[in-house]
Amino acid sequence: MCLKSVPRKHALTAAPSRRGMDEPDAAPQRNGSAAGARMHGLFTDADTGRLTVALTLSDSCLTVRRIDCASPPEHLDLRDCLGSRAHRGEAQGAQLCVYFYPYRRRWMVSAPVRQRDERRFRLGTEESDEDASLREAQRWARAINTARRPEHTHGVLFSEVHRPCGVMVLVNPQSGRGQAMALYNSHVQRMLTEADIPHTLFITERQNHARDLVRSADLTQWDALLILSGDGLLFEVVNGLMERQDWEKAIQTPLGILPGGSGNALAASVHHYTRASPVWGEDLLTSCGFLLCKGLVSNLDLVSIRLSSGARVFSFLSLAWGFVADVDIESEQFRQIGALRFMLGTLLRLASLRVYQGKLAFLPAESKSGPDSASSPPADSRLPDHLLAPLEQPVPRDWTLVEEREFVLVLAMFQSHLSEDLLAAPDARADDGLIHLFYVTAGISRAALLRLFRAMQSGTHLDCGCAHLVYRRARALRLEPLSAAGVMTVDGECVEHGPVQAQVHRGVARLISA
């Protein structure tokens, strides 16, 4: 295991303690106050040292007005503020640094994206008391960090993550095109530092390394677990937490996801839940990093999946059989081209389209079934699956049976995105308690299937009027492949091929989201 400790403060910063950063702001002192403002004061531009700037802090914005020119004041929205820090200036006085990530339009990008905007202001002169200037700059930083705390989000109440300990950052350096460490060094470390989030970096060295790590870790030392990788590493973490003796408490540890792999489906889903325009690549990383540093958590559904061997895994993203699973696994050989591997894999699989025999049944979401609907649910002390009967028994009477037929694909989605650029279930939410079930029957043409996946890029595939595509909302399902050949995946990871059933458990985990 590779371990790298990252100090809570940047080397150039002489910021106050964590306790000081969280203390309520005192009444304005030296710089005075403006009407309706929390604080008001005069600074000079840190870059030129000449322009005098008047800063006014309210509960919602930081207003910057240059008093030696007639330009209108600039209002910086504190909802876009990641954090603020104070440190001694290189020449004299102290510097106040404020980090914003507002939405802005960029050349060659159709929708606005979050872009970094660092503002630096200098307090004090050669004749000033440097210690006094630093204390005043720190007071401003505390006030900004207090004022920027969000009070509400889009219709969902979240609690705020407290950070007395630190964050465990797990990175798979082999994920995607092998760029995860470069993304950490160029983006993630800087954003965590700007938000004053202490963290320790763990670099995974083998498959299931993260699973073993979180299964035995002392979670009281960590406020959250942050995954910088594809969805596979989070799959390891979730199942490692559920394998602990204290799984009920462990699974409540907030989980954060930053896109560092090929698919990045959960990261794209987290961004989608903000109702912002779709973004990709490093813009998606910036968006998810901003949401992470805001420290808001929501509930996250977990889906219990029982395999034919009796093994049980927990999923947060998807269960796939047929075309989607084929593309996911067969495109692994093209990992070095990143997300383009899925496009190439899709074209290759379309060229030799497969059809699979199978049986499918599901419990409709509107069913009022309770704990007694299954005659004898499988025994397990972790999240009992009270809606499931043993695989060797028929499904309960209130389930819907899909007559035995040939399938091109069966896809159960638990989040909105199947990959970074495929919006499979536009109405899904992280804690909606639903399985969004899609299946495509045999007889669909290659051209029609390709049109469906192209429409899925914008989430409009259900509007295509394709008779072979069926969508249902469910709470549980059973899938019984009858073909000997085939691939089945859970969260993009290959699992044993055979009969499988699943039940959603609403909101049992916690996800840093918005």
Side-chain angles (χ1 to χ4, degrees):
M1 174 177 61
C2 296
L3 173 65
K4 177 182 177 183
S5 291
V6 182
R8 186 162 68 94
K9 303 295 183 185
H10 189 279
L12 296 178
T13 302
S17 66
R18 161 61 57 191
R19 180 181 179 184
M21 292 295 286
D22 285 342
E23 289 174 350
D25 178 56
Q29 299 173 4
R30 299 175 184 82
N31 280 347
S33 63
R38 297 181 62 165
M39 297 184 71
H40 179 78
L42 297 179
F43 293 76
T44 56
D45 187 285
D47 294 323
T48 65
R50 298 189 187 96
L51 295 176
T52 302
V53 178
L55 296 185
T56 302
L57 176 66
S58 70
D59 288 332
S60 60
C61 73
L62 179 67
T63 300
V64 181
R65 183 171 61 88
R66 303 189 182 278
I67 62 177
D68 55 352
C69 63
S71 60
E74 185 178 12
H75 302 286
L76 303 174
D77 195 331
L78 291 178
R79 290 176 298 183
D80 297 325
C81 180
L82 195 66
S84 179
R85 294 150 52 82
H87 61 84
R88 295 186 187 276
E90 295 180 2
Q92 66 280 329
Q95 282 197 5
L96 172 69
C97 300
V98 192
Y99 308 100
F100 292 91
Y101 284 79
Y103 282 104
R104 290 177 177 169
R105 292 194 176 274
R106 193 170 61 204
W107 186 65
M108 296 294 291
V109 178
S110 58
V113 297
R114 287 201 181 273
Q115 298 184 53
R116 184 174 183 269
D117 181 8
E118 178 183 356
R119 299 302 181 98
R120 296 186 300 148
F121 309 98
R122 191 163 68 192
L123 181 66
T125 63
E126 293 181 358
E127 293 78 20
S128 303
D129 183 336
E130 289 193 10
D131 291 338
S133 297
L134 178 60
R135 287 194 298 271
E136 184 67 4
Q138 290 171 343
R139 194 170 67 90
W140 272 85
R142 286 197 301 273
I144 292 171
N145 289 330
T146 301
R148 71 181 176 88
R149 292 176 180 169
E151 296 178 356
H152 63 277
T153 53
H154 298 288
V156 182
L157 297 177
F158 298 138
S159 59
E160 191 167 350
V161 176
H162 300 289
R163 302 191 296 266
C165 299
V167 172
M168 175 189 289
V169 180
L170 291 154
V171 178
N172 177 6
Q174 304 302 321
S175 63
R177 292 181 294 172
Q179 295 182 323
M181 278 306 304
L183 293 174
Y184 169 80
N185 291 324
S186 62
H187 290 75
V188 178
Q189 184 178 26
R190 181 180 65 191
M191 294 186 78
L192 293 174
T193 300
E194 290 171 351
D196 196 31
I197 297 177
H199 65 283
T200 301
L201 178 66
F202 291 78
I203 303 174
T204 62
E205 299 175 333
R206 54 178 170 81
Q207 188 175 11
N208 285 322
H209 189 178
R211 189 174 191 155
D212 296 339
L213 180 63
V214 302
R215 185 168 50 218
S216 59
D218 180 3
L219 295 181
T220 63
Q221 301 299 311
W222 308 105
D223 302 306
L225 306 179
L226 169 60
I227 289 80
L228 172 57
S229 181
D231 299 299
L233 196 64
L234 183 57
F235 175 77
E236 287 189 22
V237 168
V238 166
N239 282 276
L241 293 173
M242 291 301 296
E243 290 166 0
R244 294 171 59 105
Q245 290 294 321
D246 62 344
W247 64 269
E248 287 183 281
K249 183 177 181 181
I251 200 61
Q252 289 295 300
T253 305
L255 303 172
I257 184 71
L258 294 176
S262 300
N264 302 320
L266 183 60
S269 298
V270 168
H271 174 82
H272 174 71
Y273 301 150
T274 68
R275 297 179 172 85
S277 300
V279 292
W280 302 271
E282 292 187 4
D283 291 329
L284 179 60
L285 176 62
T286 300
S287 173
C288 291
F290 182 83
L291 294 172
L292 170 78
C293 293
K294 281 294 191 180
L296 297 174
V297 297
S298 65
N299 292 329
L300 174 67
D301 293 344
L302 290 185
V303 176
S304 168
I305 298 180
R306 294 184 178 269
L307 307 176
S308 57
S309 65
R312 187 187 190 194
V313 295
F314 292 91
S315 167
F316 60 89
L317 182 62
S318 65
L319 167 67
W321 176 60
F323 186 87
V324 171
D326 292 344
V327 169
D328 200 353
I329 299 305
E330 293 171 3
S331 67
E332 283 281 347
Q333 59 185 310
F334 310 120
R335 178 173 290 276
Q336 289 304 313
I337 65 175
L340 290 176
R341 65 177 255 215
F342 299 114
M343 180 182 297
L344 179 57
T346 297
L347 296 176
L348 292 174
R349 182 47 46 219
L350 280 171
S352 55
L353 193 60
R354 296 171 181 162
V355 174
Y356 296 105
Q357 288 278 346
K359 294 181 179 180
L360 178 64
F362 62 91
L363 177 65
E366 59 272 16
S367 172
K368 302 300 182 183
S369 294
D372 297 328
S373 64
S375 58
S376 179
D380 194 325
S381 60
R382 300 170 301 163
L383 295 177
D385 293 326
H386 61 273
L387 299 177
L388 303 180
L391 275 169
E392 62 273 13
Q393 297 182 11
V395 296
R397 291 187 301 271
D398 51 353
W399 284 44
T400 296
L401 301 177
V402 178
E403 64 184 68
E404 182 179 323
R405 63 176 66 191
E406 293 183 324
F407 295 93
V408 172
L409 68 86
V410 175
L411 175 64
M413 291 296 303
F414 319 135
Q415 303 296 328
S416 63
H417 279 68
L418 179 59
S419 68
E420 194 169 307
D421 58 353
L422 289 178
L423 180 53
D427 296 332
R429 290 296 178 266
D431 61 343
D432 59 11
L434 296 173
I435 295 173
H436 299 265
L437 178 62
F438 300 84
Y439 58 91
V440 174
T441 57
I444 189 172
S445 68
R446 292 177 174 84
L449 186 58
L450 180 59
R451 283 195 296 271
L452 282 181
F453 278 92
R454 292 189 63 181
M456 193 180 290
Q457 293 179 327
S458 57
T460 58
H461 46 291
L462 293 175
D463 300 328
C464 291
C466 178
H468 294 278
L469 173 63
V470 180
Y471 167 58
R472 297 289 184 265
R473 297 186 179 193
R475 295 165 57 199
L477 66 84
R478 178 184 290 185
L479 173 62
E480 299 178 76
L482 302 179
S483 304
V487 176
M488 190 172 289
T489 61
V490 174
D491 295 354
E493 301 299 303
C494 191
V495 297
E496 62 186 78
H497 185 261
V500 63
Q501 54 185 357
Q503 174 182 330
V504 63
H505 294 271
R506 187 170 188 175
V508 297
R510 301 173 77 199
L511 175 70
I512 302 177
S513 182

